[in-house]
Amino acid sequence: MRYAGSLLSLQGLLYLCIAGFFVFAYADTFKELWHYWIEGYNWQFLVPIAFVYMLWDRKDLYAGLNKKPGILPGLILLLLGCTLLIVGQVSSTHSLREISIIINVFGLVFLLFGANYVRALFWPLIYLMLMLSVTSELLGTLRYPLKFISATVAADALQMAGYAVYRDGTFLQLPHITIEVADSCSGLNQMISSIALGIPIAFTILNKWWKRIAIIIFSMLLGLVMNWIRVFLIATWNYASAKEVLHGPYGIYELPFIFLVGVFITLAVAMRMADKTDFRPRNSQDAAPDVASGRPADRGAVRASVVAILVLSITAMYLNTWKAEPVYLQGGFAGFPMTIAGFQGKPIDGLEKPFYAGLAHDEFIASYVDLAGETARVYIGYFPSQNQQEELIDYRYNWLHAGAESIKLPSSSSEMSMKRNSVRTRNRNVTVFFSYDINGRNIIDPKLVKLASVYDALIKRHNNGAIIVVMFDKDAQALSITEQEFLTEVMHLATARLPGG
C-alpha cells in the first residue's frame, strides 16, 4: 500500500511536470491565441471549457478503460508536434504552432493512456480544433462572400424599413456616414463560434444523432443571422447622424452581446427539442477503477511520463533560448530616389484602407506622379527579424493574395516575379503589384516565403525579409511603357538596398 501510494503521488507529480512544460513550451502561442480570441470577439476561448465539461458529462466514454501507454506511437506524434511548434515559432507561422497543439494533445493521450483512450476520445479531442484561429484561416475564402451577403441583407432590410441607403460592394452609404462591413463583421468568426458552442449543447442535451445535427446546423445559421441583425442595428443607430460610438449605446451592438443572444436561443431550442429519451442515465461505472492498475502498468505509465517530460522540456528550453539575430538596414531607406522613370515623388504618411502601414521596422512610403498625371504609390517594408508582432506574411494582408495573378518583369540581367491584383479602396479601384524579398531571393508565393524564412532561421539564425508594393491609381490589366519602366526600376532600386541585393 505504501508503494502504491508513493507511486500514485509520483505519477501525479509527473503529470504536473508534463502540464508545466507543455504550458512553458506554448507560452507565446497561447498568448497569441488569447489575443485572437479577445480581438475577434469570437468566444472560441469557451471551447476548452466546453471540452472539459463534455469529458465530465460523458465519463461513460472512457471510465473503466485499461491504461496501456503507447510509448512508440505517442513519442512519434509528440516529436512531430514539437517539430511543427519549433518550425512555426522560428518562422512566425502561427498556424503551424496551433496545429501542433492538437497533434501534441493526441500524442500525450496516446503516450500516457494508450490507443483505447485515443479511440474513445477522438471526437472530443478533434473538437479542440475549433478553438484555433487556423479554422478561420482555412475558411478564409468565405470571408468576402459573407461580408457581401451581410451588406446586401442589411441594405435590403433597411430599404424595406423605409431608410435611404445605397450599397456599394461591402459599403453602406447612409445620409451622414458610410459604413464598411469589415472582416470582423463578415460573420465567419461568429459562425465558427456558434458551431463551437452548438456542439457541446447538442452533445450534452440531446442524445439522438439527427437532433444533434439539426441543432448544430441551426446554431451555424443563427450565428450568421445574428450578425446580419447586428449590421442592421448599427446602420439604424448611425442613420440620423454619425455617432461617436459606432456600435450603439454602451457598445450594445458589439459582437459579445449579439452573439450571446444567439447562444441563448440555441440553448432554448435544444431544451425544447429534448425529450425523456435524450436524458441518459448515469453510468454506474463512472468511478470504476482501472482493472489493469498493477505494478507493471504503473511502471509503464512512469516511463511514458518521463519520455513526455524529456521531449517537452527540451522543446521548451530551445524555444525560450533561441533568438533570431536581426539584420538591420544600413541607413534604412534614406536617399531612395524621388525621380524614377519620369515619375516625380514625395514621401507620404500612410496608405488608404484596406492597406496598412506601420507593420514593418523600416518603411518607405511615397507617392509618384508622371507628366500625364498618372499616380503610383510605393510601399517597401523591411523586417530585420520576424515575430508574431512583426511578420512578413501578416494576416492583415491575406486578402491581397485572393485572386492575384503572377507576372514577370523583364530585365536586362534577370527576370523578377510579382503578383498583380485589383483592389477596391474607399474611393476607387487600384491595381496593385507586390512581391517579397528574402535575402536576395525574389518570391511571390506566401508559403515559399515561410519556407525560406524557416530555412534561414534554422540554418543561418536570422529570418529577415521585405515586402515591396506598388499601386497604380487605376483599374487596368495593361500598363503603359512608362509605368512598366517605373515598376521595374522600383523593384531594382528596392532589392539593391536590401540584404543580398
Side-chain angles (χ1 to χ4, degrees), residues 336 340 343 351 355 364 366-368 375-381 400 407 409 418-423 430-435 467-474 479 483-492 494:
F336 197 90
I340 302 175
F343 281 74
L351 303 170
F355 295 94
F364 173 79
S367 177
Y368 290 82
T375 301
R377 291 174 174 80
V378 176
Y379 172 84
I380 308 172
L400 189 56
I407 64 168
L409 296 179
M418 298 192 81
K419 275 190 172 181
R420 174 175 58 193
N421 206 345
S422 179
V423 177
V430 299
T431 302
V432 183
F433 297 83
F434 63 98
S435 69
I467 180 173
I468 305 167
V469 180
V470 180
M471 292 174 282
F472 291 96
D473 280 4
K474 63 179 183 179
L479 297 178
E483 291 168 337
Q484 292 181 40
E485 292 177 352
F486 174 81
L487 185 61
T488 303
E489 188 64 22
V490 166
M491 285 292 295
H492 281 296

Side-chain angles (χ1 to χ4, degrees), residues 19-201:
F21 281 117
F22 188 87
V23 172
F24 188 33
Y26 280 100
D28 290 338
T29 305
F30 289 151
K31 185 187 302 181
E32 296 302 326
L33 196 55
W34 177 258
H35 177 72
Y36 161 75
W37 289 336
I38 300 303
E39 186 182 67
Y41 297 106
N42 48 44
W43 294 84
Q44 286 171 258
F45 69 91
L46 291 176
V47 169
I49 300 174
F51 169 76
V52 172
Y53 177 74
M54 283 194 295
L55 290 186
W56 174 83
D57 186 74
R58 293 301 305 268
K59 292 189 288 292
D60 57 296
L61 290 173
Y62 56 91
L65 290 178
N66 294 336
K67 294 181 182 179
K68 295 181 180 179
I71 293 181
L72 181 58
L75 176 60
I76 292 173
L77 283 176
L78 198 59
L79 289 174
L80 174 61
C82 289
T83 300
L84 289 179
L85 172 60
I86 291 173
V87 171
Q89 186 143 327
V90 300
S91 66
S92 190
T93 308
H94 196 58
S95 57
L96 289 181
R97 296 156 68 184
E98 290 187 351
I99 292 172
S100 74
I101 296 175
I102 306 302
I103 294 176
N104 277 337
V105 168
F106 269 96
L108 288 172
V109 174
F110 222 132
L111 181 62
L112 301 175
F113 304 104
N116 289 337
Y117 277 77
V118 173
R119 284 192 292 268
L121 300 176
F122 180 82
W123 291 112
L125 292 175
I126 285 293
Y127 169 73
L128 288 174
M129 281 287 295
L130 292 177
M131 74 178 180
L132 308 178
S133 65
V134 69
T135 309
S136 296
E137 292 177 8
L138 292 174
L139 299 174
T141 54
L142 297 177
R143 196 176 300 278
Y144 183 80
L146 290 176
K147 285 172 56 177
F148 186 83
I149 292 173
S150 296
T152 302
V153 171
D156 291 346
L158 287 166
Q159 290 172 356
M160 291 176 60
Y163 293 96
V165 57
Y166 173 74
R167 182 184 60 80
D168 182 9
T170 58
F171 292 86
L172 299 178
Q173 297 181 9
L174 304 174
H176 302 281
I177 189 175
T178 297
I179 298 175
E180 178 189 7
V181 180
D183 286 351
S184 60
C185 298
S186 66
L188 178 61
N189 289 345
Q190 293 71 50
M191 182 182 71
I192 295 173
S193 300
S194 296
I195 295 173
L197 292 182
I199 289 175
I201 289 174

